[in-house]
Amino acid sequence: MKDERRASIRLFFALWPDAAARTALLEARDGAMQDARPTHPDDLHLTLVFIGDVELDRLGCIEAAADDVVLDGFELMLEQLETWPRQRLLVASPGEPPPALFNLLSQLQQNLLPCGIQPEPRSFRPHVTLARKAPKIQRRVLNIPWPAREFVLVRSGVGGGSNGGGYQVLRAWPLD
Ligand code: ATP
Ligand code: MG
């Protein structure tokens, strides 16, 4: 297949919740949601860097960018549940994100520059989208620990992961 390398895929780097954090997120959501469109349980994530559509031949450079990250694992705490009315999202987010989260983000952004991937101009608002088309709710307090021990490269737009989710985790890098 001569043109295979020109094929494009849609990618992003993210943190993926462990089973305990996922369960807690689903419980928090179920207590808050009416009439919204829930994120598939297997799709819950916190986006670090959205890459978007890239040609397949840039995958090696993108993986090398992740290989070069040097960072220990860290503790994230999701402390609030709220709606973002403009986007109509129900989201969980950390109150004050730990510096390590920004460190991870900036290392990835720096390392991706040689791949021709520029940082998003909009500011980073770490969050987990729990549902879309969500009616406005009062902000609630959460207490969901999320031990970040790895970050992952994800393909989106796959339309049906192994368990019905729309994302496919391509690879994980340990934080240690
Ligand atoms: P769809 O767009 O098909 O509804 P999706 O939004 O889940 O599906 P993507 O658009 O590929 O899938 O986005 C993947 C992740 O990256 C999501 O967490 C999304 O919020 C985030 N994202 C998408 N576009 C951007 C962007 N321009 N800047 C920052 N993050 C983005
Ligand atoms: Mg999108």
Side-chain angles (χ1 to χ4, degrees), residues 10 50 132 156 167:
R10 191 169 171 95
F50 177 70
R132 295 165 195 259
S156 81
Y167 302 130

Side-chain angles (χ1 to χ4, degrees), residues 75-80 93-98 142-147:
E75 310 305 321
L76 197 64
M77 185 66 89
L78 297 179
E79 289 175 339
Q80 51 201 31
S93 56
E96 191 165 339
L142 295 180
N143 204 349
I144 301 180
W146 177 327

Side-chain angles (χ1 to χ4, degrees), residues 25 36 41 50-51 91 116 136 141 153 168:
L25 283 165
F50 177 70
I51 296 175
V91 304
K136 192 168 170 28
V141 174
L153 178 64
Q168 179 187 12

Side-chain angles (χ1 to χ4, degrees), residues 57-89:
D57 58 12
R58 272 202 280 175
L59 190 56
C61 186
I62 290 165
E63 290 184 274
D67 291 340
D68 288 344
V69 167
V70 181
L71 188 69
D72 287 335
F74 59 92
E75 310 305 321
L76 197 64
M77 185 66 89
L78 297 179
E79 289 175 339
Q80 51 201 31
L81 178 71
E82 62 186 352
T83 36
W84 288 0
R86 204 163 53 81
Q87 302 93 329
R88 297 186 65 207
L89 299 178

Side-chain angles (χ1 to χ4, degrees), residues 10 12 45 47 50 120 122 127 129 132 156-157 167:
R10 191 169 171 95
F12 61 102
H45 67 279
T47 298
F50 177 70
E120 278 289 315
R122 70 191 196 191
H127 66 279
T129 298
R132 295 165 195 259
S156 81
Y167 302 130

